[in-house]
Amino acid sequence: MQKHTVHVRLGARSHPIVIGKSLLPKALTSSSTFSGLKTRVFVIADSHLRPIAQRIIRSFGTKCAGSFFLSGGEATKDMSTLPKLYAAACQARLDRKSFIVAIGGGVIGDVTGFFAATYLRGIRIVHVPTTLVAQVDSAIGGKTGVNLPKGKNLVGAFHQPALVMVDSTTLKTLPDRQFRSGLAEVIKYGIIDDSILFRRLESRTKQILNRDPKELSWIIQRCCEIKARVVSQDEFETKGLRAILNFGHTIGHGIENAAQYKLLHGEAIALGMVGATYLSQKLGDLTSIAAQRINNLIGSFGLPVRLKIKLPTSKIVAAMRLDKKAGDGQIRFVLADDIGNVRTGIPVSEVFISEALATLC
Ligand code: GLY
């Protein structure tokens, strides 16, 4: 059982991200995180992951105080899920010393994270992300939340996990569309911070799409390292650094909401990155060659570069205005100056936004 640890350094909230193959259930349930004699855990998992969740529950033995299964679809990321979780937690008599173990993709991690952040004013959580998007992004950094009808992630809290355990074996059975969706966030890391990662994605596209375990391990580790460094330096997104992670997300979240979540997160982010790439060329220093490389890579991973459903621009812009990133009524963007180098907080007029959206149609 080969594993690698990336550290998120946040003083008292520091914690490890353990990455490896075939880690579950043993490396999780025997982790020193749960070593206290009176430790109790409560497992919340995607209902599609019952077999692995049951193995984890069995491996926790008497430490497991109960479990709850949720659908992993975006509809679960809603206020209406929370009362069910609070009721289950009360019934299991969880206290402040208990741990929540969240097993699933981005939706499960986000809603369970918010539940853990608020139940008893905060109990500890361990994330076991099982999709690529969760392994490289959403399970890392402590952002939790649910959607409101008006927009994505409009209610939430920062709540750092005690441990993140990434077992790349869980990707073996991930549906193709979900896997490709995760690759959008991987491409994002190349654009915002790491031209070497970007080049590797270009040169090993086939191996990556074939889910070559060695390639996947390298990619997941690299993305976790980037995110851990960014979060360690700007946990609450107040210093302008963490905002780099939002490349492609301004338009992406707008599309996701306007399309009522018919597109997967990564698919919407892929379109958002195409839009942001257009704006980076138009308003910044991004060369047409670099822009072409970005669009080609997105396309070669089978991610959308054009909107295939009909969505009025006005609806997307309205959703973008409600996004958390739109401070003082201005819609702001992360724009790339080069592959591996971005600037944040760039206000963009509605005329240019409409132009960018037009390139997606
Ligand atoms: N997914 C963006 C962030 O964690 O800041």
Side-chain angles (χ1 to χ4, degrees):
M1 189 164 50
Q2 223 188 350
K3 50 186 185 182
H4 178 86
T5 303
V6 173
H7 296 279
V8 184
R9 297 182 198 282
L10 291 168
R13 294 180 304 289
S14 295
H15 57 273
I17 304 169
V18 178
I19 304 160
K21 277 187 289 180
S22 308
L23 298 180
L24 297 173
K26 193 102 196 340
L28 174 73
T29 57
S30 63
S31 159
S32 59
T33 305
F34 304 111
S35 64
L37 268 181
K38 294 193 176 153
T39 299
R40 297 172 80 229
V41 301
F42 188 81
V43 171
I44 300 176
D46 186 319
S47 43
H48 282 107
L49 299 171
R50 259 177 212 278
I52 181 65
Q54 298 289 11
R55 276 172 58 211
I56 290 170
I57 290 166
R58 273 199 300 277
S59 181
F60 271 125
T62 52
K63 280 192 174 163
C64 188
S67 60
F68 199 91
F69 290 89
L70 290 167
S71 152
E74 194 73 26
T76 295
K77 214 175 128 173
D78 184 82
M79 288 290 208
S80 60
T81 302
L82 294 166
K84 298 175 202 159
L85 296 180
Y86 295 137
C90 289
Q91 201 177 10
R93 294 207 210 100
L94 300 187
D95 60 25
R96 280 215 175 121
K97 292 195 193 104
S98 308
F99 281 91
I100 301 299
V101 176
I103 306 168
V107 164
I108 300 295
D110 284 2
V111 71
T112 303
F114 185 60
F115 152 72
T118 49
Y119 184 67
L120 303 180
R121 298 202 178 93
I123 61 173
R124 289 170 296 181
I125 183 163
V126 167
H127 284 295
V128 183
T130 57
T131 62
L132 186 57
V133 79
Q135 293 182 348
V136 299
D137 186 36
S138 61
I140 301 156
K143 278 190 182 176
T144 73
V146 294
N147 303 329
L148 291 183
K150 291 254 182 228
K152 200 172 158 73
N153 300 332
L154 289 183
V155 177
F158 287 95
H159 187 58
Q160 294 297 340
L163 164 72
V164 181
M165 183 146 293
V166 177
D167 185 345
S168 61
T169 320
T170 60
L171 298 180
K172 267 194 190 159
T173 51
L174 193 65
D176 202 48
R177 194 173 159 208
Q178 292 259 7
F179 178 72
R180 287 171 196 261
S181 170
L183 289 172
E185 294 286 358
V186 175
I187 296 172
K188 178 194 80 177
Y189 285 107
I191 299 169
I192 63 173
D193 191 68
D194 190 348
S195 57
I196 295 170
L197 167 64
F198 192 93
R199 210 166 303 127
R200 186 148 171 162
L201 299 176
E202 287 179 311
S203 62
R204 315 238 174 133
T205 306
K206 216 167 144 192
Q207 293 93 316
I208 293 164
L209 286 175
N210 286 336
R211 307 190 197 185
D212 178 298
K214 246 168 102 187
E215 278 308 314
L216 291 188
S217 295
W218 189 88
I219 288 171
I220 293 168
Q221 192 177 315
R222 190 67 204 113
C223 294
C224 287
E225 281 165 0
I226 297 171
K227 182 138 187 192
R229 180 177 52 75
V230 168
V231 170
S232 296
Q233 288 174 33
D234 185 13
E235 182 181 10
F236 300 112
E237 207 168 310
T238 49
K239 299 181 187 159
L241 178 64
R242 185 163 184 167
I244 67 173
L245 299 169
N246 297 331
F247 182 78
H249 284 56
T250 311
I251 291 178
H253 279 175
I255 290 177
E256 237 184 321
N257 181 263
Q260 296 185 321
Y261 304 100
K262 283 190 198 88
L263 294 174
L264 296 179
H265 177 67
E267 293 168 342
I269 296 314
L271 290 162
M273 290 196 292
V274 174
T277 297
Y278 170 84
L279 292 170
S280 302
Q281 249 193 296
K282 183 99 187 174
L283 307 173
D285 291 336
L286 194 73
T287 63
S288 59
I289 295 174
Q292 198 58 55
R293 282 178 66 199
I294 293 174
N295 292 335
N296 285 348
L297 185 58
I298 293 170
S300 67
F301 278 142
L303 287 160
V305 290
R306 297 275 176 272
L307 246 176
K308 291 188 187 115
I309 47 174
K310 266 220 152 352
L311 271 187
T313 302
S314 57
K315 217 171 156 191
I316 302 173
V317 175
M320 286 163 70
R321 284 208 179 287
L322 265 167
D323 198 82
K324 297 182 299 318
K325 295 178 280 305
D328 57 37
Q330 272 279 1
I331 301 179
R332 290 174 196 279
F333 277 79
V334 182
L335 298 183
D337 282 333
D338 199 356
I339 291 170
N341 185 15
V342 289
R343 274 178 298 137
T344 60
I346 316 290
V348 176
S349 73
E350 221 164 298
V351 176
F352 287 132
I353 294 172
S354 299
E355 267 184 36
L357 292 176
T359 65
L360 303 178
C361 296

